[in-house]
Amino acid sequence: MVKILILLAVIIVYSWAWEGLKVDLKSLKDSGGYIADFVSRLFPPDLTILDVAWEKLLETIQMSLWGTTIGAIISLPIAVLSANNLVPWWVRWVANFIQNAVRSIPSIILGLLFVAATGLGAPAGTLALGIYTVGYLGKFYQTAIESVDRYSLEALQVSGASWFQIAQYGVMPQVLPLLLGYTLYMFEYNIRAASVLGVVGAGGIGFELVNYIRGFEYNKATTMMLVLLVVVTGIDIVSSQLRRSLEQK
């Protein structure tokens, strides 16, 4: 009976969500030709701009590297103050509120904010990525810290260890491989996010990509996307291997 009720609840929720989408099946049926026309304009890629693509891609990687580093440095103390096994509830509430507030701001808005503050270019994108990273990496770090073996923390408390000693010797050695793995994942993700920030002029390969699309130079846009695909795939493979090696330690 419980399973039937759960199934009915799932059906009702998805029906409600489908109704809210207001999908016009007729327009979807006729959209195939428009999609095929757009895709046909993307090929063949214009390889004469490979030098520009690589230059902007390197800028994107640099933005992601610094943005992830800034975000990780800010995220760690916020995550510690958010963990339910380390601090009282009122401290957790404030720290979690900060995380939730940052996560509620779209990366595009952060990009616009820092473009207004520093002007067009990579610095604005780097700062936007740094703040954007805090919202997610802080939560990942918090989850890792809360998964620590509580008996080891209790043993340190009984022995008279201070709060800082508990965090330093009881928490960090256990969670460090996880934190590094999450940070690598965020670095990989931020390369994609940096390309999106180009829409608002926050530097990187996304800035050139949007300019080519706006100028109807779809062949050049294809080159940008292919270069990004190759590098992101390579970074994903290396990052995945590093994360697996860290998890095995």
Side-chain angles (χ1 to χ4, degrees):
M1 183 64 180
V2 174
K3 292 182 179 179
I4 294 175
L5 291 174
I6 293 174
L7 178 61
L8 287 173
V10 170
I11 293 172
I12 291 171
V13 168
Y14 275 93
S15 299
W16 166 78
W18 179 262
E19 181 66 24
L21 294 176
K22 295 181 174 57
V23 177
D24 186 348
L25 294 177
K26 182 180 179 181
S27 65
L28 285 178
K29 184 180 68 174
D30 298 335
S31 64
Y34 298 108
I35 295 174
D37 176 63
F38 179 79
V39 171
S40 68
R41 299 183 189 184
L42 295 174
F43 295 95
D46 185 349
L47 301 181
T48 61
I49 63 156
L50 269 178
D51 55 339
V52 177
W54 284 112
E55 177 186 348
K56 291 301 178 181
L57 182 65
L58 290 175
E59 184 179 80
T60 301
I61 294 173
Q62 291 165 341
M63 288 167 54
S64 180
L65 178 62
W66 273 105
T68 305
T69 303
I70 293 169
I73 292 171
I74 300 173
S75 294
L76 185 56
I78 293 177
V80 170
L81 296 176
S82 302
N84 58 24
N85 54 349
L86 290 180
V87 295
W89 69 268
W90 60 270
V91 177
R92 293 200 308 269
W93 189 91
V94 174
N96 277 300
F97 177 80
I98 293 172
Q99 288 189 54
N100 293 333
V102 173
R103 274 200 301 273
S104 68
I105 305 174
S107 59
I108 293 293
I109 301 301
L110 290 171
L112 286 169
L113 173 66
F114 287 109
V115 164
T118 66
L120 298 173
T126 302
L127 292 171
L129 284 176
I131 301 303
Y132 179 76
T133 297
V134 171
Y136 292 91
L137 205 52
K139 193 65 177 178
F140 294 156
Y141 286 178
Q142 177 190 347
T143 303
I145 292 170
E146 289 178 343
S147 67
V148 168
D149 179 19
R150 65 184 180 89
Y151 295 109
S152 62
L153 302 186
E154 290 174 357
L156 286 170
Q157 288 174 339
V158 170
S159 65
S162 67
W163 185 88
F164 287 103
Q165 288 173 327
I166 292 172
Q168 182 178 358
Y169 300 110
V171 175
M172 293 311 296
Q174 295 188 54
V175 302
L176 191 57
L178 271 177
L179 300 190
L180 292 173
Y182 288 141
T183 305
L184 284 170
Y185 172 78
M186 201 68 204
F187 167 69
E188 170 198 328
Y189 177 81
N190 275 342
I191 292 177
R192 301 182 182 92
S195 64
V196 174
L197 288 173
V199 173
V200 294
I205 199 170
F207 184 66
E208 295 296 330
L209 179 62
V210 169
N211 285 338
Y212 287 138
I213 292 176
R214 286 173 177 168
F216 301 101
E217 297 179 282
Y218 296 122
N219 305 86
K220 293 180 180 179
T222 301
T223 303
M224 289 286 180
M225 290 186 286
L226 289 176
V227 169
L228 184 62
L229 172 63
V230 170
V231 173
V232 166
T233 302
I235 291 175
D236 176 54
I237 293 170
V238 174
S239 178
S240 297
Q241 292 175 343
L242 287 173
R243 288 200 303 272
R244 280 196 295 269
S245 65
L246 287 170
E247 290 169 0
Q248 291 170 359
K249 291 184 179 180

